[in-house]
Amino acid sequence: MIVTVEAATRVAADLLESAGVPKDAALLQADLLVVAQAKGVPSHGLLRLPRLLRRIGNGVASATARGEHHWLTPAHLSVDGCQGLGPVVAMSALDAAEPAARRFGIALVSIARTNHLGMLSWYTEQLAKRGLVTIAATTSEALVHAHHGTNAVIGTNPISIAVPADQPVVLDMATSEVSMGKVHDYAARGEPLEEGWALDSSGRPTTDAVAASSGALAPLGPKGYALGVTLGALVAHLTPSATGTAVRGTLDDTESANKGDVFIVVDAAPATPVDAYLDEVRGSRPADPGVPISIPGERSSDRRRAAERDGLEVDDALWNELNDWPRTPQPHL
Amino acid sequence: MIVTVEAATRVAADLLESAGVPKDAALLQADLLVVAQAKGVPSHGLLRLPRLLRRIGNGVASATARGEHHWLTPAHLSVDGCQGLGPVVAMSALDAAEPAARRFGIALVSIARTNHLGMLSWYTEQLAKRGLVTIAATTSEALVHAHHGTNAVIGTNPISIAVPADQPVVLDMATSEVSMGKVHDYAARGEPLEEGWALDSSGRPTTDAVAASSGALAPLGPKGYALGVTLGALVAHLTPSATGTAVRGTLDDTESANKGDVFIVVDAAPATPVDAYLDEVRGSRPADPGVPISIPGERSSDRRRAAERDGLEVDDALWNELNDWPRTPQPHL
């Protein structure tokens, strides 16, 4: 089904408001989900809304919390998210940290006890558009096996880095070979996975998406494993959070969120013309003249513009579910 | 040939001193090279010393510069390396930035115009042992092609992240599939490369190491490309440096070093026991009970300990070249 970005945002924001989320916060959360959908990351899109509404109904996500701010040092803001919505707590923290980044040159934001941040590039891209270099990392439920391991013990531990430019460079990558959202997607369509993506619950390689759902995702090779576990250690060191198989609260309806999130924000005048560098990369010799060389973030921005022009593709069943959602707060379990 | 770590360090330091490098600086540069050799990264080991000595002799590397420090903001130290030796300029900058990191919680060091930093984990591991979370990134000569590209336009752009722990977690990875050092090594031994590692100068896939030397290395898949070009943009934004194919000075004997280096240093009390997380990862179910699951940095630290105990493997020709090196400053070209 094709719906306009405006309609999708309105439906999402209305549902959040009817669950008790203040209007500005509801719009922020709705925008995060719709932008992910528009950028071609449906696993971080509207699909996440029913879960969030159930979490609010079940009392494990707060409709109103914006986080408690504690400055540990002049440039390190530690935030207790108080189980608030991810984008509401994180954008509030980033707004508070921006003056520190401008004054000291760099600031650190560490967040615990907040709901799913969703697509990290939503945050880093906004800050890059304000002229700030931003690095974001977050932990997540154990879904990925170690290099030489066979059971899920590491999150998909994504990293996003955005750098100001005419059109900011926006990296956003998980450290697993593929996302669990993709595996679920293949399972729903009854399609086999590619070899090397996942193991089943007994640790054997599988292309059966259903078997992989209860197994483990492959890390992005030895280097992806190393990056993922290091980011996990970094987030653990900087936020009071659960680690490894103890992480809960972004893939279930009933448990408090206990992962951690970290942002580093840098304010510095551009020392070198980044756009000239990007132009040289874009202009390098292509393997196929029909396939352009793109800069990180470019293709998803193109998809977003297309969705804003032509409408957003939303799964029929999901769209019906959202439109039929009872417009009152959900009862506690 | 097997030589002791002490002998290797003494030979390297003596040669640097005879080229005019002050004793403390010579020991620092020698230690960096010998530690890389001991950790099993000979491409960043003693192999680099003849080039450094020639660069000093040719006047494109300064034997004595330690860098000029400019605090752009209270927590951002910008350094003009004045063509000094990489570890001398960078450790001096990191020592100066440490009090800022302790006071503000986080500090940024951006360095331009300094010689090859070498193995980044040498820096980040030392800072992690002082209790500081450290992120390092550096650019380098264009050796890697873009995703969908066929000519070298991006550096191998490594990233290192170290996190304090009983034994610190130390990530150190290039964003290319393999290093050019490895390709040169295969070329020297007349061995074919693995498929997918490199293109020849006309942009065709090759397993011929000699052809690859004048071609381009493959990025570590689409995500490695994205990470590499983003780190390149980040370093360019933060340091007055050359980008893309204009980078010079770490692979030649005659040109000033114009790449950039960036460090982020964080001082924060550990919020979560990182060691418990690492133990869970180490203790996860192995694919092969005979192959232990290791944490980033662990195997190279094991290799270093073994080298300190049993001696260091150094290429015969290189060791003879170093021992026969004329003990006077090299003439200018």
Side-chain angles (χ1 to χ4, degrees):
Chain A
M1 171 164 306
I2 303 293
V3 299
T4 66
V5 163
E6 294 71 23
T9 308
R10 194 170 52 241
V11 164
D14 282 356
L15 283 172
L16 288 158
E17 275 196 81
S18 79
V21 179
K23 190 179 186 71
D24 67 315
L27 279 170
L28 215 57
Q29 177 72 61
D31 186 63
L32 170 76
L33 299 175
V34 170
V35 168
Q37 190 91 20
K39 285 194 167 188
V41 192
S43 63
H44 286 51
L46 290 168
L47 182 69
R48 296 274 179 165
L49 186 53
R51 166 146 301 142
L52 267 182
L53 295 168
R54 286 192 296 267
R55 288 181 60 79
I56 295 171
N58 290 338
V60 291
S62 162
T64 55
R66 291 168 191 265
E68 289 174 1
H69 292 189
H70 306 275
W71 288 91
L72 299 183
T73 46
H76 180 180
L77 176 60
S78 167
V79 177
D80 176 348
C82 304
Q83 299 300 334
L85 299 178
V88 177
V89 170
M91 281 310 301
S92 160
L94 289 166
D95 287 342
E98 185 176 337
R102 303 243 179 241
R103 178 164 169 208
F104 300 111
I106 187 166
L108 172 66
V109 175
S110 55
I111 306 176
R113 302 206 321 125
T114 191
N115 279 276
H116 194 225
L117 254 54
M119 190 179 60
L120 289 182
S121 60
W122 185 79
Y123 306 86
T124 58
E125 184 178 14
Q126 287 185 66
L127 270 70
K129 285 179 175 168
R130 300 183 200 170
L132 300 162
V133 174
T134 308
I135 303 174
T138 184
T139 45
S140 64
E141 275 82 348
L143 294 172
V144 181
H145 63 79
H147 182 55
H148 296 311
T150 62
N151 66 314
V153 71
I154 305 166
T156 51
N157 294 6
I159 182 169
S160 177
I161 303 175
V163 181
D166 280 349
Q167 179 179 316
V169 185
V170 185
L171 169 78
D172 190 347
M173 61 177 273
T175 54
S176 53
E177 194 67 45
V178 294
S179 68
M180 190 52 93
K182 194 161 183 169
V183 170
H184 287 159
D185 198 38
Y186 275 61
R189 288 187 284 116
E191 275 187 41
L193 305 178
E194 287 185 25
E195 278 179 35
W197 282 5
L199 306 177
D200 65 20
S201 60
S202 61
R204 279 186 296 256
T206 186
T207 57
D208 177 343
V210 175
S213 302
S214 58
L217 300 172
L220 185 67
K223 290 187 182 183
Y225 161 69
L227 182 57
V229 73
T230 303
L231 291 171
L234 180 145
V235 170
H237 185 90
L238 297 177
T239 66
S241 54
T243 57
T245 56
V247 177
R248 297 285 183 280
T250 74
L251 298 175
D252 61 73
D253 294 347
T254 56
E255 301 204 55
S256 298
N258 61 8
K259 46 77 193 170
D261 315 296
V262 168
F263 290 90
I264 294 168
V265 182
V266 176
D267 177 36
T272 306
V274 169
D275 285 296
Y277 170 54
L278 302 178
D279 284 344
E280 188 184 17
V281 174
R282 281 191 195 94
S284 65
R285 189 176 57 191
D288 174 347
V291 179
I293 292 166
S294 67
I295 297 301
E298 211 163 33
R299 282 185 308 168
S300 51
S301 286
D302 291 347
R303 281 193 290 263
R304 180 179 179 181
R305 268 190 297 275
E308 283 166 351
R309 190 185 58 226
D310 305 331
L312 202 60
E313 195 171 321
V314 184
D315 177 73
D316 288 14
L318 173 61
W319 186 244
N320 292 336
E321 182 186 6
L322 295 177
N323 280 286
D324 295 343
W325 199 272
R327 302 284 171 131
T328 52
Q330 299 296 294
H332 284 241
L333 273 190
Chain B
M1 171 163 305
I2 304 293
V3 298
T4 66
V5 163
E6 293 72 23
T9 307
R10 193 170 53 242
V11 165
D14 282 355
L15 282 173
L16 287 158
E17 275 195 81
S18 80
V21 179
K23 190 180 187 71
D24 66 315
L27 279 170
L28 215 56
Q29 177 73 61
D31 186 63
L32 170 77
L33 299 175
V34 171
V35 168
Q37 190 93 18
K39 286 195 166 187
V41 191
S43 63
H44 286 52
L46 290 168
L47 183 67
R48 297 274 179 165
L49 185 53
R51 166 146 301 144
L52 267 182
L53 296 168
R54 286 192 296 266
R55 289 181 61 78
I56 294 172
N58 290 338
V60 290
S62 162
T64 55
R66 292 170 192 264
E68 289 173 1
H69 292 189
H70 306 275
W71 288 91
L72 299 183
T73 47
H76 181 180
L77 176 61
S78 167
V79 178
D80 177 348
C82 303
Q83 298 301 333
L85 299 177
V88 177
V89 170
M91 280 311 300
S92 159
L94 289 166
D95 287 342
E98 184 177 337
R102 302 239 180 245
R103 177 164 171 211
F104 300 112
I106 188 167
L108 172 66
V109 175
S110 55
I111 306 175
R113 301 203 325 124
T114 191
N115 279 276
H116 194 225
L117 255 54
M119 191 180 60
L120 290 182
S121 59
W122 185 78
Y123 307 86
T124 59
E125 183 178 14
Q126 287 185 68
L127 271 70
K129 285 179 175 168
R130 299 183 200 170
L132 301 161
V133 173
T134 309
I135 304 174
T138 184
T139 45
S140 63
E141 275 83 346
L143 293 172
V144 181
H145 64 79
H147 181 54
H148 297 310
T150 62
N151 65 316
V153 71
I154 305 167
T156 51
N157 293 7
I159 181 169
S160 177
I161 303 176
V163 181
D166 279 350
Q167 178 178 317
V169 185
V170 185
L171 169 79
D172 191 347
M173 60 177 273
T175 54
S176 52
E177 195 67 46
V178 294
S179 69
M180 189 54 93
K182 192 161 185 170
V183 170
H184 287 159
D185 199 38
Y186 275 63
R189 289 188 284 116
E191 277 187 40
L193 305 178
E194 286 185 24
E195 278 181 33
W197 283 3
L199 306 177
D200 67 18
S201 62
S202 60
R204 279 184 297 258
T206 186
T207 57
D208 177 343
V210 175
S213 303
S214 58
L217 300 171
L220 184 69
K223 289 186 182 183
Y225 161 69
L227 182 57
V229 72
T230 302
L231 291 171
L234 181 145
V235 171
H237 185 90
L238 297 178
T239 65
S241 53
T243 57
T245 55
V247 177
R248 298 284 183 280
T250 74
L251 299 174
D252 61 75
D253 294 345
T254 55
E255 301 203 56
S256 298
N258 61 10
K259 46 75 194 170
D261 314 298
V262 167
F263 291 89
I264 293 167
V265 182
V266 176
D267 177 37
T272 306
V274 169
D275 285 297
Y277 170 55
L278 303 179
D279 285 343
E280 188 184 17
V281 174
R282 281 190 194 95
S284 64
R285 190 175 57 193
D288 174 347
V291 180
I293 292 166
S294 67
I295 297 301
E298 212 163 33
R299 282 185 307 166
S300 51
S301 286
D302 291 347
R303 281 192 291 262
R304 180 180 178 179
R305 268 190 297 274
E308 283 165 351
R309 189 184 60 226
D310 306 329
L312 201 60
E313 195 173 321
V314 183
D315 177 75
D316 288 14
L318 174 60
W319 187 245
N320 292 335
E321 182 185 7
L322 294 178
N323 280 286
D324 296 343
W325 199 272
R327 303 283 173 130
T328 52
Q330 299 298 294
H332 283 241
L333 272 192

